[in-house]
Amino acid sequence: MSTKISERTKPTLASVARQAGVSAPTVSKVVNGREDVAPETRARVLAVLEQAGYQSPLQRRSAADVGTVVEVVIDVLDSAYMVEVLNGILQFAASMDVEVLLSVTGQAPSNVPSPERRAQRMLDEGRAGMIVVTSAFSQAQLQAFRRRKIPLVVIDPLNPPSADVVSVGATNWAGGKAATEHLLDLGHRRIAYIGGIERAECNQARLHGYMAALMGRGITVDPRYIVSGGKFRRESGISGLQALLRLDERPSAIFAASDAIALGVLGEAGRHGVRVPEDISLIGFDGTRQGAESVPSLSSVAQPLEEMGRAALRSLLRQVRGEVLDSHRVELATHLIVRDSTAAPAGSAVG
């Protein structure tokens, strides 16, 4: 019969092994993040370790010698969106004396560590929590973090997070509706949508806002005018416009799911002799500096990107301090910015 570890007794590998019904070397493998342990065995050992309040030597050293360090995970650092979100995180981190470690997963080698090892390494290296920006976070990763009580915040997640995961985003549905209604108010009726990553929660919300605006004016949603670009990048705008220009009846306006996509549309339009906004109106989503500086300047639905970064770190630090959050979803307001890339369709009069 196994003996339960006393709360007043300092746990050892041997006592944890007895409680979990495994060998001490197996417990050592789990503690050190080794992958050659069966998942069910690992889970059993972790449960006993958690109950016993065990900390590895690396964890104890980190807690004593290192200040608050948070990890920020992004896919790629190649967009104005990502730069502005990171600016918000870094500005708030500096004011709170927090160190930020940036991980770019798109440039990671193929031998990515397992979820369990990644989570254990977070603890062993003394990182207080993680912010994940526009990346997918699998259930296996989430469970590995939960077991170790590692705080986590996601910004614009690709896959909808479960209710207990703290997420930060903008009012994407309302923003998509506002962008489309702006084009409708100008007199456009053939309005296309060029989306980003199709499964992304923010993309779906913007698309649904676009569809709601059309249906609210009694306009049937034409599937020919909905193009999935696959990424929130310029190349999606290039391929999206190419597809739309092949239609017999081209749209008179385009709502792009990001400023980067819209800038891709703008560049490709010039190569085809299509004038913006004389031949086709164009509106983006993000409100980035690049959009404001383009020629013509880009109408856009602005997200408070830097504030989203600050809000994510603020929520993460509250979790680190053990505070109870009022809500697991932080949603910040968007607002419409009208510039030179949108106008009434040729030959129409809007009064």
Side-chain angles (χ1 to χ4, degrees), residues 192-237:
Y193 174 80
I194 302 179
I197 300 172
E198 192 168 5
R199 72 181 187 280
E201 186 177 35
C202 59
N203 181 73
Q204 288 294 315
R206 293 167 198 174
L207 172 60
H208 291 160
Y210 155 85
M211 296 170 68
L214 292 178
M215 291 186 291
R217 300 290 179 92
I219 299 173
T220 301
V221 176
D222 189 335
R224 297 177 304 161
Y225 291 155
I226 299 177
V227 181
S228 175
K231 300 176 181 178
F232 289 102
R233 300 181 191 170
R234 287 175 182 256
E235 52 261 44
S236 295

Side-chain angles (χ1 to χ4, degrees), residues 289-305:
R289 190 173 295 108
Q290 281 84 343
E293 295 172 351
S294 66
V295 180
S297 58
L298 183 66
S299 293
S300 184
V301 174
Q303 299 190 78
L305 297 175

